Amino acid sequence: MPTKESEQVIYLQHPSGSTAEVSLFGATVTSWVVENVERIFVSKKAKRDGTKAIRGGIPICFPIFGTKEKIDLPQHGFARNHYWEYTGIMKDDDDEVSVRFGLKDTQLPHETRKRWSHSFRLHYTVTLGEKTLKTFFSLKNEDEDTFEFNMLLHTYFLVPDITKVAVQGLTSCEYIDKVQNGINVTEENEKVTINGEVDRVYKKVQDKVLLEVNNDSTIQIEKFNLKDTVVWNPWIEKAKSMADFDDEEYKNMICVEVGSVAEWVVLAGGSTWTAGQTLTIV
Ligand code: BG6
């Protein structure tokens, strides 16, 4: 069987042996295994019972990224904090196995809808290939009026040693440095490496970025119809302050998150917007 559902988790299996798992809570991808190697980080302290967004995997940030003064929603919005509907298999052949999830405003509790009162329908498709994982949304504005939103795929990559990791493809981009009170900085390095807390929103980034996991493993992160790329590692002190993250786990993860977050995406009433990412082991 290419897919299986058990206890609100969907399991995908590709004929090559690659696998993926998606929790219905937040439609969060929680595992991606290629060549018997897990590529996605999930904290051993992550809550899996629906009481908190899963600390790891690929949480979806929607309709806001971070917090917004004008919108009274929790950090990174509500999409990662609610159960989605599993709408079934989209594709199953030798190339790819694909499943789809849905979230509509009417599935949200009244309290949440009061805080962001737009009508929308979100579809999220997760597609597993031999060496690829594609995660794509389509968002329909079911209001008559325009609404604005942010969307981001908060991907946590599992890495054996953070000091050997490099992100390529960000050179010359301007970024908001959240560690330095949000000042704007221009990236000068060809390879961005991590040796302290990093929390940066790189703006208007090229579509293909490479994550060198160590000397012999690289993941290409290709985004579609998304402008920005966030790079995050909490490092020592911030790691200690997170209840659902082990003190030492900052050594084994990096978030490289594609999204449109520096500016609002504006979607006219009745219109549909599509975007996503393809991760490829290269
Ligand atoms: C990153 C943000 O995307 O997510 C960070 O840039 C934030 O500022 C991090 O700390 C984790 O957020 P949360 O809400 O999952 O703890």
Side-chain angles (χ1 to χ4, degrees), residues 14 26 28 49 86 156 252:
H14 186 269
T28 312
D49 58 1
Y86 175 48
Y156 288 72
N252 297 116

Side-chain angles (χ1 to χ4, degrees), residues 13 15 36 44 61 87 96 107-108 111 119 160 171 176 193 200 217 220 228 237 261-262 278:
Q13 176 109 39
N36 292 317
K44 56 186 173 202
C61 302
T87 56
E96 291 179 329
Q107 285 167 244
L108 299 171
E111 190 52 35
S119 305
T171 324
I176 303 165
T193 53
R200 301 176 183 167
S217 171
Q220 177 182 279
D228 313 311
E237 292 309 319
V261 296
T278 300

Side-chain angles (χ1 to χ4, degrees), residues 250-268:
Y250 73 91
K251 295 175 181 167
N252 297 116
M253 55 70 70
I254 182 171
C255 288
V256 183
E257 314 160 23
V258 298
S260 277
V261 296
E263 292 171 1
W264 294 110
V265 184
V266 179
L267 188 62

